[in-house]
Amino acid sequence: MRKKQIALTAIELLKKEYPDAICSLEYQKPHELLIATRLAAQCTDARVNIVCKEMYKKYQSVEDFANAELSDIEDCIKSCGLYKTKARDIIGMCQMMMERYNGQVPDTLEELVKLPGIGRKTANLMMGDIFHKPSIVVDTHCIRLTNLLGLSEGKDPFKVEQQLRPLLPPEESNDFCHRLVLHGRAVCVARRPACDRCVLSVCCKHFQNTYRLKK
């Protein structure tokens, strides 16, 4: 099976398995997703959702965060880890949005990555979920699963993104990445993938190679 066919097959199989391709981070406003994604680095989405729910009651706008005291944001997000750096980035990105983008989240990847603490992964998530433009969110799940499927090689996020771009239909790419996260957490778990109950086994290079070796 060629890479393009593997990609299309995986897309359809994951659609059936996870009809709701949604981000597990909870938000109501664009800047809330931006901040939550920054907090999610080396922290669970569940913990981020708990922290943000309380913080967003106090800080309700980009302007509120831009004018916040650093020590107070640190206190709000302390349980997320790396809180000093994250707090600095949150205030910095909101100040930049106030100064350069009229208090709005910029709507291009090129502008998003200029914000403090925002890399291509977060920028692509914003492009897909907020602005509904084709995007490929390359996180650890995406890298690991697409490597196993045989769609990508290596662990460099930018290189994986470039390898996937010609294989994924633009209208499917964002949802596909969300479904990879869901599948990576539920079935294809790092260090103990449940290959015996994986819907992707029919198109997974790793499974096929392992099965052949066992035979």
Side-chain angles (χ1 to χ4, degrees):
M1 194 181 292
R2 294 186 176 182
K3 287 184 178 182
K4 185 76 171 182
Q5 187 57 47
I6 291 173
L8 296 176
T9 301
I11 286 170
E12 292 307 314
L13 289 170
L14 290 179
K15 270 187 183 181
K16 294 177 182 177
E17 194 75 3
Y18 309 98
D20 299 320
I22 57 174
C23 178
S24 54
L25 293 170
E26 298 170 359
Y27 64 96
Q28 299 294 323
K29 305 169 186 176
H31 74 271
E32 292 180 352
L33 178 59
L34 188 70
I35 290 170
T37 307
R38 179 66 188 95
L39 291 177
Q42 299 184 39
C43 183
T44 66
D45 290 356
R47 167 54 55 186
V48 172
N49 287 336
I50 292 171
V51 167
C52 286
K53 184 177 181 180
E54 293 305 312
M55 183 168 64
Y56 294 157
K57 291 178 182 177
K58 183 173 184 179
Y59 299 99
Q60 299 183 11
S61 67
V62 173
E63 185 175 10
D64 289 344
F65 279 105
N67 294 326
E69 290 290 336
L70 178 62
S71 59
D72 193 48
I73 298 298
E74 289 177 346
D75 287 341
C76 289
I77 67 171
K78 188 168 289 187
S79 63
C80 289
L82 303 174
Y83 69 94
K84 288 185 177 293
T85 300
K86 292 177 180 179
R88 206 161 49 239
D89 286 343
I90 288 169
I91 292 176
M93 70 174 71
C94 289
Q95 288 176 341
M96 185 178 288
M97 283 189 282
M98 291 301 299
E99 293 167 3
R100 298 190 185 182
Y101 306 108
N102 196 31
Q104 302 297 311
V105 176
D107 62 357
T108 68
L109 190 143
E110 292 74 20
E111 295 301 311
L112 281 163
V113 296
K114 293 177 182 178
L115 298 174
I118 301 303
R120 287 186 68 88
K121 182 184 78 172
T122 298
N124 271 306
L125 177 66
M126 297 299 294
M127 293 303 294
D129 280 31
I130 299 300
F131 301 112
H132 309 294
K133 298 178 182 179
S135 64
I136 299 176
V137 182
V138 180
D139 65 356
T140 55
H141 294 288
C142 178
I143 292 171
R144 183 167 55 81
L145 270 68
T146 58
N147 272 209
L148 292 173
L149 287 167
L151 298 177
S152 68
E153 295 180 359
K155 297 183 178 181
D156 181 271
F158 180 74
K159 290 180 180 178
V160 170
E161 181 184 336
Q162 299 310 306
Q163 291 170 48
L164 294 177
R165 196 165 296 282
L167 302 176
L168 302 176
E171 69 276 10
E172 299 283 1
S173 59
N174 190 57
D175 286 349
F176 178 65
C177 292
H178 279 317
R179 292 184 173 110
L180 288 177
V181 173
L182 297 173
H183 194 62
R185 289 172 176 169
V187 179
C188 191
V189 182
R191 293 184 294 278
R192 51 184 177 87
C195 296
D196 58 320
R197 59 185 181 89
C198 179
V199 296
L200 298 179
S201 60
V202 296
C203 62
C204 178
K205 183 179 179 181
H206 169 75
F207 177 83
Q208 300 299 331
N209 289 340
T210 303
Y211 179 73
R212 278 199 295 270
L213 287 172
K214 286 183 177 180
K215 288 185 69 176

